[in-house]
Amino acid sequence: MPHSLRLVLYLVAVVATTLVHDPRLLALALAGVLLASGSGRVALLLRALRPVWWLLLLISAGYLLMGYLTRQPVFDALVLINLRVLLLALLTAWMVRAVNLDRALLLWPRARRWLVIVRGQMLLFRRLAQDYRLAQRSRTVLAPSLRQRYLGSAAVGLAALDKGVHNAELVTQAMRSRGALDD
Protein backbone atom coordinates (compact mmCIF):
# COMPACT_ATOMS: atom_id res chain seq x y z
CA MET A 1 0.00 0.00 0.00
CA PRO A 2 1.45 3.42 -0.93
CA HIS A 3 2.55 5.63 1.92
CA SER A 4 0.31 8.51 0.83
CA LEU A 5 -2.74 6.22 1.02
CA ARG A 6 -1.67 5.10 4.49
CA LEU A 7 -1.39 8.73 5.58
CA VAL A 8 -4.84 9.54 4.20
CA LEU A 9 -6.31 6.47 5.94
CA TYR A 10 -4.69 7.60 9.19
CA LEU A 11 -6.21 11.07 8.85
CA VAL A 12 -9.65 9.60 8.10
CA ALA A 13 -9.34 7.29 11.12
CA VAL A 14 -8.41 10.22 13.37
CA VAL A 15 -11.41 12.23 12.23
CA ALA A 16 -13.70 9.20 12.59
CA THR A 17 -12.38 8.58 16.10
CA THR A 18 -13.27 12.09 17.15
CA LEU A 19 -16.81 11.69 15.81
CA VAL A 20 -17.61 8.43 17.62
CA HIS A 21 -19.23 8.83 21.02
CA ASP A 22 -19.99 5.20 21.85
CA PRO A 23 -17.38 3.58 24.13
CA ARG A 24 -18.22 0.13 22.75
CA LEU A 25 -17.35 1.24 19.21
CA LEU A 26 -14.15 2.87 20.41
CA ALA A 27 -13.15 -0.29 22.29
CA LEU A 28 -13.94 -2.35 19.19
CA ALA A 29 -11.88 0.02 17.04
CA LEU A 30 -9.03 -0.18 19.55
CA ALA A 31 -9.08 -3.97 19.40
CA GLY A 32 -9.27 -3.84 15.60
CA VAL A 33 -6.28 -1.52 15.35
CA LEU A 34 -4.29 -3.76 17.69
CA LEU A 35 -5.13 -6.83 15.61
CA ALA A 36 -4.43 -5.09 12.31
CA SER A 37 -1.12 -3.62 13.46
CA GLY A 38 0.61 -6.98 13.02
CA SER A 39 3.62 -8.23 14.87
CA GLY A 40 4.97 -6.08 17.65
CA ARG A 41 1.50 -4.94 18.72
CA VAL A 42 2.37 -5.05 22.43
CA ALA A 43 5.42 -2.85 21.86
CA LEU A 44 3.27 -0.55 19.73
CA LEU A 45 0.66 -0.30 22.50
CA LEU A 46 3.37 0.50 25.06
CA ARG A 47 4.86 3.08 22.72
CA ALA A 48 1.43 4.69 22.34
CA LEU A 49 0.77 4.62 26.08
CA ARG A 50 4.09 6.12 27.15
CA PRO A 51 3.40 9.76 26.19
CA VAL A 52 -0.26 9.81 27.29
CA TRP A 53 -0.20 7.63 30.42
CA TRP A 54 0.37 10.39 32.98
CA LEU A 55 -1.97 12.77 31.21
CA LEU A 56 -4.77 10.19 31.24
CA LEU A 57 -4.09 9.43 34.88
CA LEU A 58 -4.22 13.12 35.81
CA ILE A 59 -7.41 13.78 33.82
CA SER A 60 -9.05 10.66 35.22
CA ALA A 61 -8.20 11.67 38.79
CA GLY A 62 -9.58 15.15 38.14
CA TYR A 63 -12.81 13.78 36.71
CA LEU A 64 -13.21 11.35 39.60
CA LEU A 65 -12.64 14.15 42.09
CA MET A 66 -15.09 16.39 40.25
CA GLY A 67 -17.67 13.60 40.22
CA TYR A 68 -17.17 13.00 43.91
CA LEU A 69 -17.49 16.67 44.83
CA THR A 70 -20.50 17.36 42.63
CA ARG A 71 -22.08 13.94 43.17
CA GLN A 72 -22.46 13.61 39.40
CA PRO A 73 -21.78 10.39 37.49
CA VAL A 74 -18.60 10.80 35.45
CA PHE A 75 -17.69 7.20 34.72
CA ASP A 76 -19.18 7.14 31.20
CA ALA A 77 -17.40 10.33 30.19
CA LEU A 78 -14.18 9.07 31.74
CA VAL A 79 -14.30 5.79 29.81
CA LEU A 80 -15.06 7.66 26.59
CA ILE A 81 -12.17 10.09 27.05
CA ASN A 82 -9.66 7.39 27.97
CA LEU A 83 -10.64 5.11 25.09
CA ARG A 84 -10.58 7.96 22.58
CA VAL A 85 -7.18 9.25 23.66
CA LEU A 86 -5.72 5.75 23.74
CA LEU A 87 -7.09 4.98 20.28
CA LEU A 88 -5.71 8.25 18.88
CA ALA A 89 -2.32 7.58 20.46
CA LEU A 90 -2.29 4.02 19.09
CA LEU A 91 -3.25 5.20 15.61
CA THR A 92 -0.50 7.80 15.71
CA ALA A 93 2.14 5.34 16.91
CA TRP A 94 1.10 2.91 14.19
CA MET A 95 1.23 5.66 11.56
CA VAL A 96 4.71 6.72 12.69
CA ARG A 97 5.85 3.10 12.42
CA ALA A 98 4.16 2.29 9.11
CA VAL A 99 4.30 5.52 7.09
CA ASN A 100 7.38 7.07 5.57
CA LEU A 101 6.36 10.72 5.59
CA ASP A 102 8.91 11.66 2.93
CA ARG A 103 7.31 9.22 0.49
CA ALA A 104 3.78 10.02 1.63
CA LEU A 105 4.22 13.73 0.93
CA LEU A 106 5.90 13.40 -2.47
CA LEU A 107 2.83 14.83 -4.18
CA TRP A 108 2.62 17.83 -1.85
CA PRO A 109 5.85 19.91 -1.93
CA ARG A 110 4.52 22.54 0.50
CA ALA A 111 3.71 19.86 3.05
CA ARG A 112 7.24 18.47 2.62
CA ARG A 113 8.64 21.91 3.44
CA TRP A 114 6.62 21.94 6.65
CA LEU A 115 7.91 18.46 7.43
CA VAL A 116 11.49 19.70 7.10
CA ILE A 117 10.71 22.57 9.48
CA VAL A 118 9.09 20.25 12.02
CA ARG A 119 11.98 17.80 11.89
CA GLY A 120 14.47 20.61 12.35
CA GLN A 121 12.59 21.86 15.40
CA MET A 122 12.46 18.36 16.86
CA LEU A 123 16.21 18.00 16.47
CA LEU A 124 16.78 21.39 18.09
CA PHE A 125 14.63 20.54 21.11
CA ARG A 126 16.22 17.10 21.51
CA ARG A 127 19.64 18.70 21.44
CA LEU A 128 18.54 21.33 23.95
CA ALA A 129 17.22 18.72 26.38
CA GLN A 130 20.37 16.63 25.95
CA ASP A 131 22.58 19.68 26.60
CA TYR A 132 20.70 20.47 29.81
CA ARG A 133 20.88 16.85 30.97
CA LEU A 134 24.60 16.67 30.30
CA ALA A 135 25.18 20.03 32.00
CA GLN A 136 23.32 18.90 35.11
CA ARG A 137 25.18 15.58 35.17
CA SER A 138 28.56 17.28 34.80
CA ARG A 139 27.90 19.68 37.69
CA THR A 140 26.85 17.12 40.27
CA VAL A 141 28.65 14.20 41.82
CA LEU A 142 25.58 12.55 43.30
CA ALA A 143 22.37 11.69 41.54
CA PRO A 144 20.03 14.71 41.59
CA SER A 145 17.15 14.72 44.05
CA LEU A 146 13.56 14.81 42.88
CA ARG A 147 13.42 18.55 43.52
CA GLN A 148 16.57 19.11 41.46
CA ARG A 149 15.15 17.03 38.63
CA TYR A 150 11.94 19.07 38.69
CA LEU A 151 13.96 22.28 38.61
CA GLY A 152 16.03 20.91 35.74
CA SER A 153 12.89 19.95 33.84
CA ALA A 154 11.45 23.40 34.42
CA ALA A 155 14.65 24.98 33.12
CA VAL A 156 14.53 22.81 29.99
CA GLY A 157 10.86 23.67 29.49
CA LEU A 158 11.51 27.39 29.84
CA ALA A 159 14.49 27.23 27.47
CA ALA A 160 12.44 25.22 24.96
CA LEU A 161 9.60 27.72 25.15
CA ASP A 162 12.04 30.59 24.66
CA LYS A 163 13.72 28.87 21.74
CA GLY A 164 10.37 27.88 20.23
CA VAL A 165 9.07 31.45 20.27
CA HIS A 166 12.33 32.75 18.81
CA ASN A 167 12.44 30.07 16.10
CA ALA A 168 8.77 30.64 15.24
CA GLU A 169 9.50 34.32 14.70
CA LEU A 170 12.47 33.50 12.47
CA VAL A 171 10.55 30.92 10.44
CA THR A 172 7.60 33.28 10.01
CA GLN A 173 9.88 36.08 8.82
CA ALA A 174 11.66 33.76 6.39
CA MET A 175 8.43 32.37 5.00
CA ARG A 176 6.86 35.82 4.70
CA SER A 177 9.91 37.10 2.79
CA ARG A 178 9.51 34.21 0.34
CA GLY A 179 5.79 34.80 -0.14
CA ALA A 180 4.64 31.64 1.62
CA LEU A 181 2.36 33.52 4.01
CA ASP A 182 -0.18 35.80 2.40
CA ASP A 183 -1.18 38.40 4.99
Side-chain angles (χ1 to χ4, degrees), residues 6-168:
R6 290 179 189 177
L7 182 62
V8 168
L9 287 175
Y10 162 74
L11 295 173
V12 168
V14 165
V15 171
T17 299
T18 61
L19 297 175
V20 173
H21 302 297
D22 185 0
R24 294 171 298 196
L25 288 176
L26 289 173
L28 189 62
L30 186 63
V33 168
L34 276 173
L35 287 174
S37 64
S39 63
R41 58 180 60 99
V42 173
L44 184 67
L45 181 62
L46 292 175
R47 183 177 179 184
L49 267 174
R50 191 176 307 129
V52 298
W53 172 254
W54 291 108
L55 180 66
L56 286 177
L57 191 65
L58 183 65
I59 290 172
S60 297
Y63 262 84
L64 288 172
L65 179 64
M66 180 187 69
Y68 175 75
L69 293 174
T70 61
R71 300 189 200 297
Q72 298 282 330
V74 294
F75 187 72
D76 292 340
L78 196 56
V79 169
L80 182 70
I81 289 169
N82 283 315
L83 282 173
R84 182 174 285 141
V85 170
L86 183 57
L87 180 57
L88 288 170
L90 185 63
L91 284 168
T92 302
W94 191 20
M95 186 273 303
V96 167
R97 184 181 80 177
V99 176
N100 181 336
L101 288 175
D102 288 320
R103 289 184 185 167
L105 298 175
L106 276 175
L107 301 175
W108 301 288
R110 286 187 180 204
R112 289 187 72 194
R113 282 186 225 131
W114 283 104
L115 180 64
V116 168
I117 291 169
V118 168
R119 282 186 175 154
Q121 293 299 308
M122 286 172 52
L123 288 173
L124 278 170
F125 290 126
R126 276 190 192 141
R127 177 66 189 261
L128 180 69
Q130 181 184 18
D131 287 349
Y132 270 79
R133 260 193 315 273
L134 290 174
Q136 186 178 30
R137 190 178 300 151
S138 71
R139 292 185 185 124
T140 58
V141 178
L142 302 172
S145 66
L146 183 61
R147 183 176 188 280
Q148 289 171 329
R149 287 187 298 209
Y150 280 145
L151 289 174
S153 296
V156 170
L158 186 59
L161 186 61
D162 239 6
K163 190 176 242 354
V165 168
H166 177 71
N167 289 341

